[in-house]
Amino acid sequence: MTRVLLIEDDPAVRRGVTLGLRRRGHETEAVGTGEDGLEALGPFAPEIVLLDLMLPGMSGLEVCRRIRETSQVPLVILSARGDDIDVVVGLEAGADDYVVKPASGELIEARMRAVLRRVAPAQPATPAREQRLTYGDLDIDRVGLRVRKDGRELVLAPSELKLLLFLSASPEQTFSRQQLLEQVWEHSYYGDARLVDACVMRLRSKIEDDPPSPRYVQTVRGFGYRFGPL
């Protein structure tokens, strides 16, 4: 059972999504405004947040930004606005995934599970000496899921952390956006490359000294992204 906070102003959508989540065994708190959503974060302590963008009063984007100021709880945007600019702005605000409504309960469940797997502790599959590695001023604990820069622990959203873990596991190997969608977001279809690009931008802002000239997560023009060479 997962504790899900749903922030959705449309009563019909709120009821439908809540019913679907509860039928699947999830403990669900549903609210109609961003202000109520932020207020519920502490007492309810959700394991994942489902957030509509078009809210009365405080916008969904502002709610997303405020959540990311204090929490790295997994966050999925549910929105009827599917234009590229809306998706990109939502992802850049800190969301881990973006689902365009109307969406089936099965799709919402699948996206939730994929995001939640990104924060699940990993089982050691590599020798102990490779479970914690240092690259320049970055220290990556692959089992404890912690990243430090110059000794200071970084707070990374689930997608940012998994992207960094995946790329750093194969330094200097280039991965296409589609490969990263399949491995990090677990999307098996084409069309969401903007997820990758937005996440790379956010990750660079946290781990790079000079994001426009990245040392760690580098762009291979015409192909995709790689970690290093260092």
Side-chain angles (χ1 to χ4, degrees):
M1 180 178 68
T2 302
R3 290 190 308 279
V4 184
L5 174 60
L6 171 65
I7 307 175
E8 166 63 62
D9 70 311
D10 186 313
V13 175
R14 193 164 63 244
R15 284 194 299 270
V17 174
T18 299
L19 181 61
L21 291 170
R22 289 176 176 167
R23 281 178 174 171
R24 290 172 170 80
H26 301 301
E27 181 182 352
T28 306
E29 177 85 6
V31 298
T33 68
E35 291 85 351
D36 288 343
L38 292 176
E39 188 174 338
L41 274 178
F44 185 59
E47 296 169 86
I48 190 167
V49 175
L50 304 181
L51 172 66
D52 183 24
L53 285 184
M54 300 178 67
L55 296 171
M58 185 184 298
S59 73
L61 287 176
E62 181 61 23
V63 174
C64 185
R65 293 189 186 103
R66 292 201 184 187
I67 290 175
R68 281 292 173 255
E69 288 175 358
T70 59
S71 172
Q72 295 304 318
V73 62
L75 193 153
V76 177
I77 287 177
L78 299 180
S79 178
R81 298 167 61 173
D83 293 340
D84 282 356
I85 186 63
D86 295 314
V87 176
V88 170
V89 169
L91 295 170
E92 290 179 351
D96 292 291
D97 209 337
Y98 194 113
V99 176
V100 178
K101 296 185 295 187
S104 67
E106 289 76 13
L107 176 60
I108 294 173
E109 174 79 7
R111 294 293 185 86
M112 283 174 45
R113 290 185 180 278
V115 171
L116 288 168
R117 278 194 288 270
R118 296 172 211 166
V119 294
Q123 295 299 318
T126 56
R129 66 181 182 276
E130 297 180 12
Q131 293 168 16
R132 184 166 181 168
L133 298 174
T134 298
Y135 306 91
D137 56 5
L138 278 186
D139 181 74
I140 302 176
D141 182 350
R142 311 187 68 81
V143 176
L145 301 180
R146 293 184 177 89
V147 180
R148 290 179 173 84
K149 180 178 174 64
D150 289 326
R152 175 178 58 87
E153 186 166 344
L154 301 179
V155 181
L156 302 180
S159 297
E160 298 162 8
L161 176 60
K162 188 171 182 183
L163 179 62
L164 178 60
L165 292 175
F166 181 78
L167 289 174
S168 64
S170 303
E172 300 188 40
Q173 181 175 342
T174 300
F175 295 93
S176 69
R177 289 171 175 81
Q178 182 61 27
Q179 288 174 310
L180 293 173
L181 282 171
E182 293 172 359
Q183 296 298 322
V184 177
W185 282 267
E186 301 181 27
H187 293 191
S188 59
Y189 56 87
Y190 180 76
D192 288 296
R194 53 203 173 182
L195 283 170
V196 179
D197 294 336
C199 188
V200 165
M201 184 190 70
R202 284 163 29 206
L203 180 59
R204 283 174 173 166
S205 72
K206 297 179 180 180
I207 68 171
E208 303 284 0
D209 294 322
D210 183 13
S213 301
R215 176 185 182 188
Y216 297 112
V217 179
Q218 299 184 351
T219 301
V220 181
R221 195 170 301 278
F223 292 93
Y225 297 102
R226 69 182 177 192
F227 188 81
L230 303 173

PDB file of all heavy atoms in Angstrom, residues 213-226:
ATOM      1  N   SER A 213      28.828  24.240 -19.352  1.00  0.00           N
ATOM      2  CA  SER A 213      29.990  23.470 -19.798  1.00  0.00           C
ATOM      3  C   SER A 213      30.175  22.288 -18.852  1.00  0.00           C
ATOM      4  O   SER A 213      31.104  22.253 -18.023  1.00  0.00           O
ATOM      5  CB  SER A 213      31.243  24.349 -19.803  1.00  0.00           C
ATOM      6  OG  SER A 213      31.078  25.462 -20.647  1.00  0.00           O
ATOM      7  N   PRO A 214      29.292  21.303 -18.940  1.00  0.00           N
ATOM      8  CA  PRO A 214      29.266  20.238 -17.940  1.00  0.00           C
ATOM      9  C   PRO A 214      30.489  19.325 -17.984  1.00  0.00           C
ATOM     10  O   PRO A 214      30.994  18.991 -19.054  1.00  0.00           O
ATOM     11  CB  PRO A 214      27.999  19.456 -18.290  1.00  0.00           C
ATOM     12  CG  PRO A 214      27.796  19.715 -19.743  1.00  0.00           C
ATOM     13  CD  PRO A 214      28.249  21.123 -19.966  1.00  0.00           C
ATOM     14  N   ARG A 215      30.927  18.918 -16.816  1.00  0.00           N
ATOM     15  CA  ARG A 215      32.019  17.969 -16.687  1.00  0.00           C
ATOM     16  C   ARG A 215      31.506  16.539 -16.578  1.00  0.00           C
ATOM     17  O   ARG A 215      32.141  15.621 -17.086  1.00  0.00           O
ATOM     18  CB  ARG A 215      32.839  18.303 -15.440  1.00  0.00           C
ATOM     19  CG  ARG A 215      33.949  17.307 -15.145  1.00  0.00           C
ATOM     20  CD  ARG A 215      34.646  17.612 -13.826  1.00  0.00           C
ATOM     21  NE  ARG A 215      35.735  16.697 -13.580  1.00  0.00           N
ATOM     22  CZ  ARG A 215      36.420  16.631 -12.433  1.00  0.00           C
ATOM     23  NH1 ARG A 215      36.123  17.458 -11.446  1.00  0.00           N
ATOM     24  NH2 ARG A 215      37.400  15.753 -12.280  1.00  0.00           N
ATOM     25  N   TYR A 216      30.382  16.368 -15.916  1.00  0.00           N
ATOM     26  CA  TYR A 216      29.885  15.022 -15.619  1.00  0.00           C
ATOM     27  C   TYR A 216      28.859  14.530 -16.641  1.00  0.00           C
ATOM     28  O   TYR A 216      29.109  13.571 -17.362  1.00  0.00           O
ATOM     29  CB  TYR A 216      29.299  14.990 -14.204  1.00  0.00           C
ATOM     30  CG  TYR A 216      30.339  15.278 -13.134  1.00  0.00           C
ATOM     31  CD1 TYR A 216      30.292  16.443 -12.381  1.00  0.00           C
ATOM     32  CD2 TYR A 216      31.368  14.383 -12.892  1.00  0.00           C
ATOM     33  CE1 TYR A 216      31.251  16.716 -11.405  1.00  0.00           C
ATOM     34  CE2 TYR A 216      32.335  14.640 -11.927  1.00  0.00           C
ATOM     35  CZ  TYR A 216      32.268  15.799 -11.187  1.00  0.00           C
ATOM     36  OH  TYR A 216      33.225  16.062 -10.238  1.00  0.00           O
ATOM     37  N   VAL A 217      27.696  15.164 -16.705  1.00  0.00           N
ATOM     38  CA  VAL A 217      26.660  14.725 -17.644  1.00  0.00           C
ATOM     39  C   VAL A 217      26.809  15.542 -18.914  1.00  0.00           C
ATOM     40  O   VAL A 217      26.408  16.699 -18.985  1.00  0.00           O
ATOM     41  CB  VAL A 217      25.258  14.896 -17.038  1.00  0.00           C
ATOM     42  CG1 VAL A 217      24.196  14.444 -18.041  1.00  0.00           C
ATOM     43  CG2 VAL A 217      25.137  14.093 -15.756  1.00  0.00           C
ATOM     44  N   GLN A 218      27.399  14.910 -19.922  1.00  0.00           N
ATOM     45  CA  GLN A 218      27.756  15.618 -21.143  1.00  0.00           C
ATOM     46  C   GLN A 218      26.821  15.246 -22.292  1.00  0.00           C
ATOM     47  O   GLN A 218      26.326  14.130 -22.376  1.00  0.00           O
ATOM     48  CB  GLN A 218      29.205  15.296 -21.528  1.00  0.00           C
ATOM     49  CG  GLN A 218      30.211  15.710 -20.468  1.00  0.00           C
ATOM     50  CD  GLN A 218      31.641  15.464 -20.921  1.00  0.00           C
ATOM     51  OE1 GLN A 218      31.892  14.843 -21.953  1.00  0.00           O
ATOM     52  NE2 GLN A 218      32.587  15.963 -20.142  1.00  0.00           N
ATOM     53  N   THR A 219      26.606  16.201 -23.171  1.00  0.00           N
ATOM     54  CA  THR A 219      25.807  15.981 -24.371  1.00  0.00           C
ATOM     55  C   THR A 219      26.703  15.515 -25.503  1.00  0.00           C
ATOM     56  O   THR A 219      27.752  16.108 -25.760  1.00  0.00           O
ATOM     57  CB  THR A 219      25.102  17.283 -24.800  1.00  0.00           C
ATOM     58  OG1 THR A 219      24.262  17.734 -23.732  1.00  0.00           O
ATOM     59  CG2 THR A 219      24.252  17.055 -26.042  1.00  0.00           C
ATOM     60  N   VAL A 220      26.292  14.443 -26.159  1.00  0.00           N
ATOM     61  CA  VAL A 220      26.956  14.004 -27.379  1.00  0.00           C
ATOM     62  C   VAL A 220      26.012  14.376 -28.513  1.00  0.00           C
ATOM     63  O   VAL A 220      25.000  13.701 -28.743  1.00  0.00           O
ATOM     64  CB  VAL A 220      27.235  12.485 -27.360  1.00  0.00           C
ATOM     65  CG1 VAL A 220      27.944  12.066 -28.648  1.00  0.00           C
ATOM     66  CG2 VAL A 220      28.081  12.116 -26.143  1.00  0.00           C
ATOM     67  N   ARG A 221      26.314  15.468 -29.163  1.00  0.00           N
ATOM     68  CA  ARG A 221      25.376  16.064 -30.118  1.00  0.00           C
ATOM     69  C   ARG A 221      24.973  15.055 -31.203  1.00  0.00           C
ATOM     70  O   ARG A 221      25.804  14.407 -31.818  1.00  0.00           O
ATOM     71  CB  ARG A 221      25.999  17.299 -30.760  1.00  0.00           C
ATOM     72  CG  ARG A 221      24.997  18.191 -31.482  1.00  0.00           C
ATOM     73  CD  ARG A 221      25.642  19.508 -31.881  1.00  0.00           C
ATOM     74  NE  ARG A 221      26.148  20.231 -30.723  1.00  0.00           N
ATOM     75  CZ  ARG A 221      25.405  20.983 -29.945  1.00  0.00           C
ATOM     76  NH1 ARG A 221      24.115  21.089 -30.190  1.00  0.00           N
ATOM     77  NH2 ARG A 221      25.944  21.631 -28.926  1.00  0.00           N
ATOM     78  N   GLY A 222      23.678  14.946 -31.392  1.00  0.00           N
ATOM     79  CA  GLY A 222      23.148  14.040 -32.397  1.00  0.00           C
ATOM     80  C   GLY A 222      22.964  12.620 -31.912  1.00  0.00           C
ATOM     81  O   GLY A 222      22.400  11.793 -32.634  1.00  0.00           O
ATOM     82  N   PHE A 223      23.424  12.324 -30.667  1.00  0.00           N
ATOM     83  CA  PHE A 223      23.323  10.953 -30.161  1.00  0.00           C
ATOM     84  C   PHE A 223      22.578  10.896 -28.826  1.00  0.00           C
ATOM     85  O   PHE A 223      21.604  10.167 -28.678  1.00  0.00           O
ATOM     86  CB  PHE A 223      24.714  10.329 -30.005  1.00  0.00           C
ATOM     87  CG  PHE A 223      25.405  10.092 -31.327  1.00  0.00           C
ATOM     88  CD1 PHE A 223      26.239  11.040 -31.850  1.00  0.00           C
ATOM     89  CD2 PHE A 223      25.194   8.923 -32.023  1.00  0.00           C
ATOM     90  CE1 PHE A 223      26.872  10.840 -33.064  1.00  0.00           C
ATOM     91  CE2 PHE A 223      25.810   8.701 -33.247  1.00  0.00           C
ATOM     92  CZ  PHE A 223      26.662   9.663 -33.774  1.00  0.00           C
ATOM     93  N   GLY A 224      23.054  11.634 -27.814  1.00  0.00           N
ATOM     94  CA  GLY A 224      22.401  11.551 -26.507  1.00  0.00           C
ATOM     95  C   GLY A 224      23.295  12.095 -25.418  1.00  0.00           C
ATOM     96  O   GLY A 224      23.898  13.162 -25.571  1.00  0.00           O
ATOM     97  N   TYR A 225      23.418  11.349 -24.318  1.00  0.00           N
ATOM     98  CA  TYR A 225      24.177  11.806 -23.160  1.00  0.00           C
ATOM     99  C   TYR A 225      25.140  10.721 -22.669  1.00  0.00           C
ATOM    100  O   TYR A 225      24.907   9.523 -22.881  1.00  0.00           O
ATOM    101  CB  TYR A 225      23.226  12.183 -22.023  1.00  0.00           C
ATOM    102  CG  TYR A 225      22.311  13.328 -22.343  1.00  0.00           C
ATOM    103  CD1 TYR A 225      20.969  13.102 -22.679  1.00  0.00           C
ATOM    104  CD2 TYR A 225      22.768  14.644 -22.322  1.00  0.00           C
ATOM    105  CE1 TYR A 225      20.122  14.161 -22.983  1.00  0.00           C
ATOM    106  CE2 TYR A 225      21.927  15.711 -22.616  1.00  0.00           C
ATOM    107  CZ  TYR A 225      20.598  15.452 -22.951  1.00  0.00           C
ATOM    108  OH  TYR A 225      19.766  16.503 -23.245  1.00  0.00           O
ATOM    109  N   ARG A 226      26.187  11.186 -21.972  1.00  0.00           N
ATOM    110  CA  ARG A 226      27.142  10.246 -21.367  1.00  0.00           C
ATOM    111  C   ARG A 226      27.671  10.860 -20.069  1.00  0.00           C
ATOM    112  O   ARG A 226      27.545  12.061 -19.829  1.00  0.00           O
ATOM    113  CB  ARG A 226      28.306   9.979 -22.308  1.00  0.00           C
ATOM    114  CG  ARG A 226      29.227  11.178 -22.506  1.00  0.00           C
ATOM    115  CD  ARG A 226      30.335  10.886 -23.489  1.00  0.00           C
ATOM    116  NE  ARG A 226      31.171  12.085 -23.714  1.00  0.00           N
ATOM    117  CZ  ARG A 226      32.060  12.189 -24.681  1.00  0.00           C
ATOM    118  NH1 ARG A 226      32.242  11.188 -25.530  1.00  0.00           N
ATOM    119  NH2 ARG A 226      32.770  13.300 -24.814  1.00  0.00           N
TER     120      ARG A 226
END
